[in-house]
Every structure is written in C-alpha cells, then in structure tokens.
Amino acid sequence: MTAVTETRAVAPAPARAADGRRAVLALARVEARRLLLHPLVLAALVAYLTLVLWPGGEPEDAYPVLQDIDRETQLGQLMLGLAVMIAANLAVLRSHRRGTDGSFGVLVVLPWQRTCAHALSVLPTVLVGALIVAGQFTAQALKPGAVGHGSVFELATGPLLILLPAILGVLLGRVVRSAFAAPLAVVAFLAISMVFVADSQSPAWLRGMAPVLFDEGARPLPYDLLGRPAGWHALYLLALSVLAAAGAALVSGGRTRAVRVTAVAAFGAVVTAVVFQGMAPSDAVREARKVATRDPAAVQDCERREATTYCAFPEFTPWIDEWARVTDRARSLAGDPDRTRELTVRQKVAAVDGPSDRSNLSPAGPGELTASTAWGGERELEFAASVARGLVVGHEQYGGAYCDARGVLMVWLAIRATRDGEALFEKTGDNYNSPGVIQAPVFALSLRGREYAVVQRLLAEPRPEVDRRVKASWAELSAPGTTTDRAAALLGVTAPAETADDREWRCA
C-alpha cells in the first residue's frame, strides 16, 4: 500500500491598495534620488548656484527693490526646470531604452502607478528650487538698502517653473517613446514661450500662458502699481502641472474616476487662471497708476530736512537718507545764495502702462527736482546731476546742452557730490559712447566738447583750491550768459576753442 500525499497550492493574496501606495512611494523615492543625481540636473544646479552666489555685482545691487527681486528668481528656476524635464523624460524611458518593459508585467505596480511614481519623484527637486529661491530672496531682503516687499505668489512661481517642465517630461515619455523628444520639446518650449507668447505687445491672457510673466520696465514701480496677476499665474502653472500629471496617468492606463476628476478639475483651473490673468490689472490699479504718474504728491510721504523737502512713495522713504547725503554734499560745495535755495526732491514714476511703461518722466516744476525709483552707482550720479541742476538753474525744463559756465558748474558739482563721481562719470560716458553726458532722471545733463574739456581740467586740479574758486565765483558762474571762456578763467584753467562739432549742439 502506498500513501499518496498532496500539497494544496495556495493562491497569492490579492494586492491591497495600501501595498500599491507603498510600492509607488518606494519607487518615487528611488527615482527622486536618481533624478537629483542625474548629471544634467547637477550641471544645471551648479550653473544656477554659481550665478546666484558669484561675488561682485553692480553698485545698484546694494539697493534692491524687493518687488523686482522676487521676479528675478524665476529665470534661474526655469533653467533648472528644463534640465529636470529632460532627466525625468529619460527616467520614464529607461525601461524602453533597455528593453525591459516586458518584465514589468509581473510586478505589483501597474504602468499608470509607475507613471505616478515618476511624477512624484520630481517633488524633491522642486523643494531644492524652493530653498534656493528662499535663500536668494532673504539675502537680498537683509541688505541695509533694500526697500519694498516681495510677493509670495511671485516667489512660488519659481519652484512651479521646475514642477511644470518636469511633469511635462513625464507625460512626453508616455506619449513619445524617443529620447530625442524632450530636447526638441525644450527648444519648442523656449521658442513659443519667449518669442511669441512673451511679447509685451501680446494680449494679457496670451502672455499669461507663458511660463514667465514678462512685464519689465526701465525702473521699478511701487508694489501697489504692479498689478501683475501673480496669484492667478501661480495657479495656472500648478493646475497645468496637475493636468499634465493626470494626462500621463490616463495615457498609461490609469483611467480611474479619481484621475478623470482630477484632470477635469485641473483643466477648469487652467482656463479660469488664463481668463483672470487676461482681466488684470484691476480698474483700481489702473487709476492708482495714473495718480502716481500725474499727481505723485497725492500719494507720497514728505520729510523736510533744513532747506530740502524729500517726497517719496511710502516704501521708498528709507532712501531719503541717501538722497539727503548727496544733496547736503552738493549744497556744501555751492556758493551763496543758491547754497540755501529751497528745493523739493520728488520721486516720480511713469506707470500708466504698468511695469513695461518706458515713457520718459515728466519734468518737475520750478523749485523741484526728480528722483527715480532706482539707487546706487550711476543712479547716484544721475540724482546728483538733478540736484546740481536744481541749485544752479532752479528747474529741469530744458533738455539741451548748457553751452556756458552753468554746464561746467552743474557737471562738476554732480561729480563732486557723488561717491566715486569721477569713475562713474567716465563709465557713464563709455556706456553711452558720449563723454560729458549724465543721464539725469528727466533730461540728460549734456556737455559739448569744450565744456567737457574744462571739467576734465578742473578735476585734474587740487580739489580744495577748485572748491574755493567755485564758491568765490558762484554768482557769476551760475548766472545765464557767463561764457565758458569766462568760467575757465575764473576757475584757473583754460578752455579750448569752439569746434564745428560744438556748434551743432542744441543749447539750452
């Protein structure tokens, strides 16, 4: 008799939903680490950090306007995001390139769940981008010369500029099974966004569809006048990222109710955000821009210091100390009676068309001079030129060259009232290929060749002696009609003869 024993086969227990989530999260962690260590991402990160941390910079960097600084964080984030886009796409295509797609059929993680894992794997890189933005903005905000304040939504846009391209890289990997698709998509992404959509003449709703809201002007504006739909744009980028992730899951076979509902909700949010971006700015912001441009006194705070009254938009009042330093220095070099002339420093903006408005500032009335919304370096020399014009001629109504002693006096005074004035004066001439010109806030302070030569000779003389001669002859030097030859004689130098080029200038 033979005993037969049988072992009953036990069917494996069906995978529970919790097991699937754990597997997705585990795969996401692995892919996140590989993504962060991808050579392309590391290279982009190093390049980005090098740009952020590189020492040096312009003198204006010591006086950041924070409502502009928040936007300046975004382009670097986009550069990193495009690198992550290619790396994420290569990660999705890894099994296809290595011919291992078929082996995934025995795994517990379904294709659409692997897609979700890839989508989740970009989040640590987004977090790294957010930390860089926070550090970059905080470093600027802690500078003693910083004014204004940033927008949370503008700062959030930076990390979202990593999230969106990364998710698009995942989606692209599920739609096109080629490693060349992502680099080509980057080129198309930049071309369409930067060349066509980002044009400042495009409708607002169309510009809002670009990854970065380009709306730049010549000078910063007070925060309340910006009117940028930063919140709606951040929602647009976030919703588009969610829509792309849901699309990738759907393409991978994840046609669950939750995925479909997510896709529909994200699409609705994208459309809503585009519509509201097209409606910006509000009527209140448009009206505030007109008031600030045409009647700035109505919205400014003023502070009187001896013979000078300083009026600025509220968030720029910390710069009054800087303006006063230059003004007091110019007054100390001037002679009587103009040394104590009553002046009002009025900060101005050209904001009717928003941040991209490049209109010239309107001239101030008699007894007033103009300060802009930028400071430091050449901006200090430009303000000093405005002060010098206020002390010498008392107004800024004329934009021509002063072909007499007043031109020599104003430029010399502006240079001497500015820190590193001589170097800045030379640099300004080089920048505009026009020596003898200072780009004052309203009209440039320009010199012809012979007046410029007199100024150069004055700067070569001992400063105390020139200072004494200027004060002693101030009344004659600042009087209309005093010739350049007479000014040179009073100041102990010689003036070159008038040339044909000199005679072509339009004199004020």
Side-chain angles (χ1 to χ4, degrees), residues 278-299:
M279 296 168 63
S282 65
D283 291 341
V285 171
R286 293 181 193 276
E287 182 60 26
R289 288 174 176 176
K290 292 178 182 176
V291 171
T293 303
R294 298 165 183 168
D295 185 20
V299 291

Side-chain angles (χ1 to χ4, degrees), residues 125-164:
T125 312
V126 174
L127 178 61
V128 170
L131 292 174
I132 295 175
V133 167
Q136 189 177 355
F137 184 79
T138 302
Q140 295 293 321
L142 292 177
K143 290 183 177 178
V147 296
H149 54 91
S151 161
V152 172
F153 295 116
E154 296 283 8
L155 294 172
T157 296
L160 291 173
L161 290 172
I162 299 176
L163 178 66
L164 176 58

Side-chain angles (χ1 to χ4, degrees), residues 285-496:
V285 171
R286 293 181 193 276
E287 182 60 26
R289 288 174 176 176
K290 292 178 182 176
V291 171
T293 303
R294 298 165 183 168
D295 185 20
V299 291
Q300 290 183 336
D301 293 338
C302 294
E303 182 178 329
R304 184 174 179 83
R305 297 189 182 184
E306 298 181 349
T308 309
T309 301
Y310 299 92
C311 297
F313 295 101
E315 60 208 273
F316 289 89
T317 53
W319 286 356
I320 287 179
D321 289 340
E322 297 291 327
W323 296 343
R325 174 176 54 77
V326 175
T327 306
D328 293 346
R329 174 64 176 161
R331 286 187 183 278
S332 71
L333 294 167
D336 293 324
D338 295 324
R339 186 174 61 83
T340 56
R341 182 199 290 258
E342 294 276 338
L343 289 175
T344 297
V345 174
R346 175 82 61 198
Q347 191 177 39
K348 290 183 181 176
V349 293
V352 173
D353 290 332
S356 60
D357 195 327
R358 293 187 175 273
S359 304
N360 295 325
L361 299 178
S362 57
E368 286 195 0
L369 56 97
T370 300
S372 74
T373 50
W375 188 250
E378 293 179 38
R379 307 293 89 77
E380 185 174 327
L381 178 63
E382 293 168 2
F383 175 74
S386 189
V387 174
R389 182 149 40 192
L391 289 174
V392 175
V393 299
H395 62 80
E396 51 186 16
Q397 299 295 318
Y398 303 123
Y402 284 86
C403 311
D404 54 15
R406 295 177 299 173
V408 174
L409 185 58
M410 284 188 284
V411 170
W412 174 84
L413 193 58
I415 295 171
R416 292 281 285 112
T418 309
R419 292 177 298 191
D420 300 324
E422 292 184 46
L424 290 173
F425 183 56
E426 184 177 350
K427 180 181 178 183
T428 301
D430 291 341
N431 289 346
Y432 294 96
N433 195 27
S434 182
V437 176
I438 302 174
Q439 299 293 329
V442 177
F443 290 125
L445 195 55
S446 308
L447 293 182
R448 303 184 305 172
R450 66 192 311 253
E451 284 78 27
Y452 175 61
V454 173
V455 170
Q456 284 187 307
R457 291 168 187 177
L458 285 178
L459 295 176
E461 295 287 314
R463 289 185 176 182
E465 182 59 24
V466 175
D467 293 352
R468 187 191 64 76
R469 291 171 184 168
V470 167
K471 282 189 177 180
S473 305
W474 180 270
E476 190 172 358
L477 289 170
S478 60
T482 303
T483 65
T484 302
D485 292 320
R486 177 60 179 163
L490 290 171
L491 298 174
V493 297
T494 58

